[in-house]
Amino acid sequence: YTSTLEIKPDPRLHVSPADLEKQFTLETQITEKLNTLHTTVNHIRYLRSQLNSLNHRLGESDQFKPITAAAAGLLEKIDAIERQLMQTKMKSTEGNLAFPSMIDEQLIYLGASLDATDSAPTAGQNQVFEMLSRRLQEQMREWDGVLSKDLSGLNKLVDQKKMPVVDTQLPSK
């Protein structure tokens, strides 16, 4: 059987389709920012595991000190980026009481505040989104710099010692 279905807005609400479209657009933008952020965090964690593995493989050998020092510096940089993107100290649902929320959590809360109403986003919600977008973009620039400069430098050191190069790509699923 087939039947025609017509979806109508809730008659109790007095909101224009244009306002609902604005809400949907901002929620979609938030989702895109969160996808970028989460992909980057996964990439950071993948790179961290490779760097830790490399340092473990090289150990305390004097001949590899420049590599382990560069890897340690790279770990510090990627940890700093991750800490700006997500609250890494939070280990429970109550953790947000002890540690400040970061870009990830703030975008999630903003999305929840939008989803809680059927109306156009407020000026404040739009401003918060723009501020969080700028902060995320700043961290993405930092991340791009780490990949293009710092990781490249580490890979050159590794290549000089004829060690396997640290891969910057996520493993395929």
Side-chain angles (χ1 to χ4, degrees):
Y1 296 99
T2 61
S3 181
T4 303
L5 175 68
E6 183 180 351
I7 299 175
K8 294 183 176 183
D10 187 335
R12 298 170 295 173
L13 299 177
H14 302 288
V15 59
S16 72
D19 285 347
L20 291 176
E21 184 64 33
K22 289 176 187 173
Q23 178 188 28
F24 177 76
T25 298
L26 186 54
E27 286 186 33
T28 301
Q29 291 172 329
I30 290 170
T31 299
E32 290 168 357
K33 297 291 182 189
L34 283 168
N35 284 337
T36 297
L37 187 150
H38 293 153
T39 299
T40 301
V41 168
N42 287 336
H43 199 173
I44 286 170
R45 291 175 179 178
Y46 176 66
L47 180 57
R48 179 183 298 117
S49 72
Q50 289 185 77
L51 292 169
N52 286 332
S53 199
L54 177 68
N55 279 344
H56 178 72
R57 226 174 33 234
L58 299 181
E60 298 295 321
S61 172
D62 285 341
Q63 86 180 63
F64 297 122
K65 285 282 188 217
I67 295 172
T68 55
L74 188 53
L75 282 166
E76 287 178 24
K77 288 182 179 185
I78 66 173
D79 287 346
I81 293 169
E82 183 182 21
R83 284 192 307 271
Q84 290 300 310
L85 296 175
M86 298 186 87
Q87 180 49 259
T88 59
K89 294 178 183 177
M90 197 168 11
K91 305 297 181 201
S92 69
T93 55
E94 297 83 18
N96 61 346
L97 298 172
F99 304 107
S101 62
M102 303 313 285
I103 298 170
D104 172 66
E105 294 87 4
Q106 292 169 7
L107 282 169
I108 290 169
Y109 295 145
L110 178 60
S113 77
L114 280 166
D115 204 35
T117 64
D118 291 313
S119 63
T122 65
Q125 288 170 322
N126 283 318
Q127 289 170 349
V128 168
F129 177 74
E130 291 304 318
M131 184 236 355
L132 292 173
S133 294
R134 283 190 303 275
R135 287 179 48 207
L136 177 59
Q137 188 59 40
E138 179 182 315
Q139 293 307 308
M140 297 310 297
R141 278 193 300 275
E142 289 286 326
W143 174 241
D144 289 342
V146 164
L147 290 177
S148 64
K149 294 178 186 133
D150 299 289
L151 186 57
S152 175
L154 173 65
N155 281 333
K156 285 177 187 172
L157 282 173
V158 169
D159 191 45
Q160 289 170 357
K161 297 291 184 181
K162 304 296 184 214
M163 297 290 301
V165 178
V166 174
D167 186 9
T168 63
Q169 302 301 315
L170 286 170
S172 58
K173 293 182 180 181

